[in-house]
Amino acid sequence: MIELQDLTKRYGDRTAVDHVTVTVPSGRVTALLGPNGAGKSTIMRLVLGLDRPTSGTALVGGRRYTELRNPLRLVGAHLDARAFHPRRSGRAGLLALARYNGFSPARVREVIDEVGIGAVAGKPAGTYSLGMAQRLGIAGAMLGDPGTVLLDEPVNGLDADGVRWVRALLRRWAGEGRTVLLSSHLIGEVELIADRVVVIGRGRLLADATPAAFTAGQEAVVDVAAADEHSFTLLTEALGAHAERTGADRLRVRGLDAATVGRRAQHAGAVLRELRTDAPGLEEAYVRLVEDETEYVAVTR
Ligand SMILES: Nc1ncnc2c1ncn2[C@@H]1O[C@H](COP(=O)(O)OP(=O)(O)OP(=O)(O)O)[C@@H](O)[C@H]1O
C-alpha cells in the first residue's frame, strides 16, 4: 500500500503537487492519470525518496522509502525507459543493478526471460527500440520481486502486443497481491489497464475512483447522423447549442435525450440516418474533469 498524506511539493513558486491525500491499495492496478505537467512524475519521485516533499508524507507499507532497509526487495520502479547506460548491454546493466543490490545473476536471467528481451540482452541498451527499452526498465523493476511497483508511462512506445503484455503483467502482479501504480497521460491506456484511476490536474487530486464509478455520474450523450446535407443543416439549427459537430453529417448532443432529439429532427423535417445514446466513456469523463481543473471533484467508490 502507498499512502500519500497531504503531500505537497513546490519548486520555487511553482506547486507541482498540491496537498494530495490518496491511498493506493495492494492487489489492484492503480493509474495516476493527468495531462503533461500535472505532477505525476513528481509524485512518483516523492514516493521513491528521489525528492523531498515540501510538506506532507509519502509512505510505502507504512514507512518512508528512505527508511527502508532493502528498498529494491520492497519497491520496484521504472521511471525512465532510457535510464540504462546506452553503451552497456541490457544484460550488463541488469547484472550491475543486481550485484549492487545483492541479487543473483540467475535472477537477472529470469527477469530477462520474463520480459522477453533475451534476443537483444547482449546488445547495447542505447540501440533498443523504445518498446525494448521499456521492457528492460520493467525487468529492472522486477529484480527484487517487490510487493510494490511504480511505473512511469510504462506503455509509452509499445506496440499493441507490447501494451497487451504490460496489461497482462500488471494484472498478474495485482492478482498476486502487489501494489501496482502506473502513470499515464493517455486515458485509453488507463481504461484498459487500471482498476482504479487517480486523476491529477495541476498538482491537485481531481478524482479517485474505479473507472466505472468515475463515469457513473456523467450524463450520457446522443450521437446523431443526418441522411443528407439539407437534413444536416436543419438538424443543426433544431439542436442549437446542444450539438457539436463531430463529422461531415454527424452531431454529438448533450443535455437532450434521444427521444427529444428525434422529435426535434421530425419537427424540423430532418431525415436521420442514425440516432443512438452513448454511455459516457472514461475519456468523456476525464476530458470534462481536466477541462475545469479549478473544480475539486471527489468521486467515491
Ligand atoms: N525539478 C524540478 N524543478 C522545477 N520544476 C519542476 C521540477 N520537476 C517538475 N517540475 C514542474 O512540476 C510540474 C509537474 O511536473 P511532473 O513532471 O511531475 O508532471 P507529469 O504529470 O509527470 O508530466 P509529464 O506527463 O509531462 O511527465 C511541472 O510544472 C514541472 O515543470
Side-chain angles (χ1 to χ4, degrees), residues 9-12 14-17 32-45 51 152-153 183-185 200 202-203:
K9 178 67 188 180
R10 290 195 195 93
Y11 296 104
R14 164 161 259 156
T15 305
V17 179
L32 270 180
L33 175 69
N36 289 333
K40 307 177 297 292
S41 306
T42 304
I43 288 177
M44 291 205 164
R45 285 201 308 276
D51 229 333
D152 201 356
E153 306 267 357
S183 79
S184 176
H185 63 281
I200 304 287
R202 290 195 198 149

Side-chain angles (χ1 to χ4, degrees), residues 35-170:
N36 289 333
K40 307 177 297 292
S41 306
T42 304
I43 288 177
M44 291 205 164
R45 285 201 308 276
L46 293 171
V47 172
L48 293 166
L50 296 171
D51 229 333
R52 286 166 61 96
T54 305
S55 61
T57 51
L59 305 179
V60 185
R63 316 270 292 271
R64 284 189 174 82
Y65 185 91
T66 46
E67 295 167 0
L68 302 176
R69 263 206 270 135
N70 206 334
L72 258 63
R73 288 194 190 280
L74 299 170
V75 187
H78 165 48
L79 297 190
D80 178 0
R82 299 296 184 189
F84 281 81
H85 193 293
R87 284 196 295 278
R88 264 193 182 168
S89 72
R91 181 182 291 113
L94 287 171
L95 281 168
L97 193 60
R99 207 164 33 242
Y100 185 73
N101 289 282
F103 307 130
S104 69
R107 178 64 186 151
V108 170
R109 283 194 291 278
E110 266 174 32
V111 296
I112 285 176
D113 283 348
E114 198 155 350
V115 302
I117 56 167
V120 297
K123 296 187 177 151
T127 64
Y128 288 16
S129 66
L130 185 51
M132 283 296 159
Q134 291 280 28
R135 287 174 188 248
L136 175 61
I138 291 173
M142 291 165 73
L143 265 181
D145 197 19
T148 298
V149 192
L150 281 81
L151 307 163
D152 201 356
E153 306 267 357
V155 295
N156 188 15
L158 295 185
D159 56 16
D161 264 359
V163 175
R164 269 195 293 278
W165 172 76
V166 170
R167 189 190 320 158
L169 182 70
L170 301 192

Side-chain angles (χ1 to χ4, degrees), residues 200-213:
I200 304 287
R202 290 195 198 149
R204 298 169 63 212
L205 177 69
L206 298 179
D208 170 14
T210 60

Side-chain angles (χ1 to χ4, degrees), residues 229-252:
E229 221 171 287
H230 181 56
S231 291
F232 182 77
T233 308
L234 295 174
L235 188 64
T236 306
E237 279 165 12
L239 296 172
H242 289 287
E244 171 201 350
R245 188 171 189 163
T246 51
D249 62 355
R250 189 172 283 279
L251 296 168
R252 170 158 282 210

Side-chain angles (χ1 to χ4, degrees), residues 218-274:
Q218 303 289 323
E219 147 193 60
V221 294
V222 175
D223 264 323
V224 59
D228 52 61
E229 221 171 287
H230 181 56
S231 291
F232 182 77
T233 308
L234 295 174
L235 188 64
T236 306
E237 279 165 12
L239 296 172
H242 289 287
E244 171 201 350
R245 188 171 189 163
T246 51
D249 62 355
R250 189 172 283 279
L251 296 168
R252 170 158 282 210
V253 188
R254 292 196 172 81
L256 301 175
D257 63 9
T260 308
V261 173
R263 266 198 305 276
R264 287 204 186 181
Q266 199 179 8
H267 275 137
V271 183
L272 300 186
R273 187 166 59 76
E274 199 181 310

